[in-house]
Amino acid sequence: MVNRKLSFTIITIIVGLMVAVQFQTVQQPDIRDTRDTWELRSDLKREQEIQSQIFQEIRKYEATIQEYTKEQKKSKEAALRDTLEDLKKDAGLTEVSGPGIRMTVKPLFGEDILGEVQENISAELLRRFVNELNSYDSEEISIAGQRIVNNTVIREINGRTKVNNAWIPNANFEIVVITDNPTKLYNRLQVSRAMDEFAIENLLLEVSTPINHVTVPAYDEAIRVKYMEPVKAEKEGN
């Protein structure tokens, strides 16, 4: 009798537990995706559109980066070209125009008055005059079509004067000067001793009034650089 009651109690407990578990399962069902097929397709299409937009944005930014890289390279090349042009201009290797003054050197008196006249302007006179013009803030100078640069040599050979590697005519040649303030240069030349020094060599220095536009030619000879060597590029990491 006791065994029968014990078995009944155990069975009752087991059944009770099963009913409780079943009840709990009914009260808390699993959460399931209740969207139908059309909603799923719509959501999938929307996700695909978003993904496509992201790819398009990526391609756009990649193209922008490539364009920026090209522009940066072009900017560097343009900067190098501009620097090269500036260096050529500073070295006198390009023709230059600007405001300035034009001067003409002529014989002061002819042979009918003085008889034999000097046939050549002295190199010393030209050197002094160029130095004087430079002291007046002249920017560019040409003598008889020869550009005066840092490498220019004015020398006398066998009684004739050379500027660069060109012989200077006996007379009737021009000296052209470019300056920011041609009026100031003109006024200084009017009180300069230069005209008297030219007259001593029987030469007349005629100075034009300020001109808005004069041109000096480029230096057309090779520039030789001494005491300079190219720098060897260091290896990375040194």
Side-chain angles (χ1 to χ4, degrees):
M1 186 70 176
V2 175
N3 291 335
R4 187 176 296 178
K5 287 182 179 181
L6 181 59
S7 300
F8 179 77
T9 301
I10 294 173
I11 293 172
T12 302
I13 292 172
I14 294 173
V15 171
L17 290 172
M18 293 177 63
V19 171
V21 172
Q22 183 67 27
F23 179 78
Q24 185 71 16
T25 303
V26 172
Q27 292 296 321
Q28 297 181 359
D30 294 336
I31 298 175
R32 298 180 179 178
D33 193 342
T34 59
R35 294 177 295 178
D36 59 21
T37 304
W38 292 107
E39 289 177 330
L40 290 172
R41 288 180 178 177
S42 178
D43 291 343
L44 178 60
K45 183 178 180 181
R46 186 161 52 250
E47 292 296 331
Q48 290 174 340
E49 291 175 351
I50 293 174
Q51 189 178 28
S52 177
Q53 291 177 357
I54 292 174
F55 286 150
Q56 289 178 1
E57 289 294 322
I58 291 173
R59 285 194 293 269
K60 184 178 71 174
Y61 289 129
E62 286 178 345
T64 302
I65 292 173
Q66 291 177 356
E67 187 66 24
Y68 176 76
T69 303
K70 290 179 181 178
E71 290 297 327
Q72 192 175 34
K73 184 178 180 181
K74 290 180 180 178
S75 298
K76 290 180 179 179
E77 291 175 353
L80 288 174
R81 284 195 297 269
D82 292 341
T83 301
L84 180 60
E85 289 302 317
D86 290 340
L87 291 174
K88 285 183 177 180
K89 184 177 179 181
D90 292 341
L93 300 179
T94 59
E95 182 181 276
V96 181
S97 299
I101 283 177
R102 181 178 286 111
M103 291 168 276
T104 304
V105 179
K106 299 179 178 180
L108 183 59
F109 299 107
E111 294 182 1
D112 54 340
I113 297 177
L114 296 181
E116 185 178 355
V117 298
Q118 181 175 340
E119 295 183 352
N120 182 66
I121 183 172
S122 69
E124 178 63 25
L125 175 59
L126 275 183
R127 283 195 294 265
R128 289 201 308 269
F129 189 52
V130 169
N131 290 336
E132 183 176 354
L133 291 174
N134 286 328
S135 70
Y136 296 155
D137 298 326
S138 300
E139 294 183 3
E140 308 294 346
I141 303 171
S142 68
I143 299 176
Q146 290 297 310
R147 179 74 167 271
I148 305 300
V149 297
N150 292 334
N151 287 28
T152 292
V153 177
I154 301 175
R155 60 191 184 279
E156 197 166 322
I157 303 174
N158 297 328
R160 295 187 63 188
T161 297
K162 259 191 173 184
V163 175
N164 297 326
N165 283 322
W167 297 106
I168 298 301
N170 295 338
N172 298 312
F173 63 89
E174 284 190 342
I175 299 174
V176 181
V177 181
I178 292 178
T179 177
D180 285 337
N181 195 336
T183 300
K184 183 178 179 180
L185 175 60
Y186 175 81
N187 292 334
R188 286 186 172 183
L189 288 174
Q190 296 306 308
V191 297
S192 170
R193 294 183 54 189
M195 294 185 181
D196 294 335
E197 292 176 349
F198 273 80
I200 291 173
E201 295 193 7
N202 190 35
L203 295 171
L204 174 64
L205 178 67
E206 291 184 344
V207 182
S208 72
T209 55
I211 303 172
N212 292 330
H213 186 88
V214 295
T215 300
V216 296
Y219 182 77
D220 58 359
E221 299 177 18
I223 294 181
R224 295 178 176 83
V225 180
K226 296 182 179 180
Y227 313 116
M228 293 180 65
E229 295 180 357
V231 177
K232 295 181 180 180
E234 295 184 359
K235 295 182 180 180
E236 295 183 1
N238 290 345

